[in-house]
C-alpha cells in the first residue's frame, strides 16, 4: 500500500528557505523516479522537480538555481530544499511516484495530503 507523507511546509517571507520532506513506503522506493509537484489556487498541478532512481535530476525553469531535489534510497525519503523563496512559490506541495514508461511521463495516482508553502512579500 503506497503511502506518501509530506512535511516541512510553512509560512515564510520572501527570500527565506524551507526544506520539504516526503516519507515514502509501501513500494520499492529505489526503483521509481520521484517528483515534487505543486498546485496553487486556480492553476493545474505542476511538476517542480524530479529525480530518477539513479540520481538524474530535472527542474522546472522557475525554480532552477533556487531549489534542490534529493533522495535517500535507504531511508525511503524525498527532499526539496527551497531557497530564495518567492511569493509565486506559494502552493500546496506534493510528492509522487512518476511513471516513466509513458510519453509524456506522468505521476502515478498516489497522493498524500501535501504540505502548504506560503510565501509573503
Amino acid at each position: 500500500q503506497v503511502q506518501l507523507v509530506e512535511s516541512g511546509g510553512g509560512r515564510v517571507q520572501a527570500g527565506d528557505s524551507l526544506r520539504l520532506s516526503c516519507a515514502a513506503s509501501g513500494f520499492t522506493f529505489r526503483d521509481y523516479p520521484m517528483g515534487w509537484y505543486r498546485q496553487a489556487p486556480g492553476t493545474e498541478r505542476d511538476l517542480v522537480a524530479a529525480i530518477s532512481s539513479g540520481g538524474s535530476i530535472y527542474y522546472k525553469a522557475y525554480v532552477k538555481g533556487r531549489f534542490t531535489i534529493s533522495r535517500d534510497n535507504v531511508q525511503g525519503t524525498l527532499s526539496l530544499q527551497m531557497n530564495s523563496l518567492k511569493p509565486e512559490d506559494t502552493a500546496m506541495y506534493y510528492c509522487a511516484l512518476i511513471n516513466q514508461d509513458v510519453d509524456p511521463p506522468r505521476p502515478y495516482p498516489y497522493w498524500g495530503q501535501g504540505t502548504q508553502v506560503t510565501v509573503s512579500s
Side-chain angles (χ1 to χ4, degrees):
Q1 190 173 24
V2 173
Q3 187 171 15
L4 303 167
V5 181
E6 299 93 344
S7 62
R11 187 176 187 90
V12 298
Q13 292 183 312
D16 287 349
S17 298
L18 285 171
R19 186 175 179 86
L20 308 185
S21 295
C22 170
S25 61
F27 64 101
T28 306
F29 179 82
R30 65 181 177 272
D31 289 345
Y32 287 85
M34 299 290 295
W36 284 100
Y37 292 76
R38 71 187 189 188
Q39 187 168 24
T43 71
E44 293 188 351
R45 188 172 295 157
D46 190 28
L47 177 66
V48 175
I51 182 168
S52 75
S53 60
S56 297
I57 291 172
Y58 161 84
Y59 294 108
K60 197 69 172 282
Y62 55 67
V63 306
K64 187 172 291 186
R66 300 188 297 122
F67 291 9
T68 302
I69 189 171
S70 61
R71 65 189 295 159
D72 187 326
N73 285 340
V74 175
Q75 296 185 2
T77 57
L78 181 74
S79 299
L80 186 69
Q81 177 67 44
M82 305 186 296
N83 298 328
S84 301
L85 283 162
K86 304 176 180 180
E88 306 95 279
D89 297 319
T90 296
M92 186 73 75
Y93 284 72
Y94 303 89
C95 64
L97 294 68
I98 296 174
N99 184 356
Q100 207 166 242
D101 295 328
V102 297
D103 189 17
R106 57 177 170 82
Y108 286 98
Y110 302 109
W111 302 97
Q113 294 300 303
T115 186
Q116 178 67 40
V117 172
T118 302
V119 185
S120 59
S121 300

